[in-house]
Amino acid sequence: SSSASWRRLFASPNSGLGPVLIVLAVWILGCVVYGFFAPPQPLVVDPEVFYQQVQEQIAGIQVPFGSPHYAHYRQYYLQQYQQHLLRYQENQEQGGRVPGFQ
């Protein structure tokens, strides 16, 4: 049976996969434990920092300044900033807490 051959492959001391599977299982377990105990990351960055990042992205747009594509990209980045600002304000109104964690 094919399932018996798979079991023999993983259980066989000569296959070398036994230690690999144990390490893999421990690594996965460690990731799960870390996910439960790691402190939550802040959802939003300070608006001034985010605005500076937006300005750097706008300055790095790789199309000519007068191009309609430039205006499109610039508008997109500024809309992202506005959405971020709204999320930041909503988060501050909720006391700056991360939703779901009290």
Side-chain angles (χ1 to χ4, degrees):
S1 146
S2 66
S3 65
S5 62
W6 277 107
R7 282 192 213 120
R8 274 196 316 269
L9 177 65
F10 291 128
S12 170
N14 297 332
S15 70
L17 285 178
V20 172
L21 292 176
I22 291 171
V23 169
L24 181 63
V26 169
W27 179 74
I28 290 171
L29 181 63
C31 290
V32 170
V33 169
Y34 177 79
F36 279 108
F37 291 107
Q41 298 295 319
L43 290 179
V44 289
V45 178
D46 187 47
E48 290 83 20
V49 172
F50 192 77
Y51 183 77
Q52 182 63 36
Q53 293 171 350
V54 167
Q55 291 303 318
E56 291 170 4
Q57 288 177 325
I58 290 172
I61 295 174
Q62 297 292 322
V63 295
F65 179 73
S67 165
H69 295 292
Y70 179 89
H72 171 76
Y73 287 121
R74 183 176 184 277
Q75 180 182 8
Y76 171 78
Y77 289 132
L78 292 175
Q79 286 173 346
Q80 293 296 310
Y81 173 72
Q82 290 297 321
Q83 290 174 1
H84 174 79
L85 191 58
L86 288 174
R87 284 193 307 264
Y88 183 84
Q89 290 169 344
E90 289 170 358
N91 189 33
Q92 293 301 347
E93 289 171 2
Q94 295 173 0
R97 293 187 314 270
V98 177
F101 294 96
Q102 311 250 331

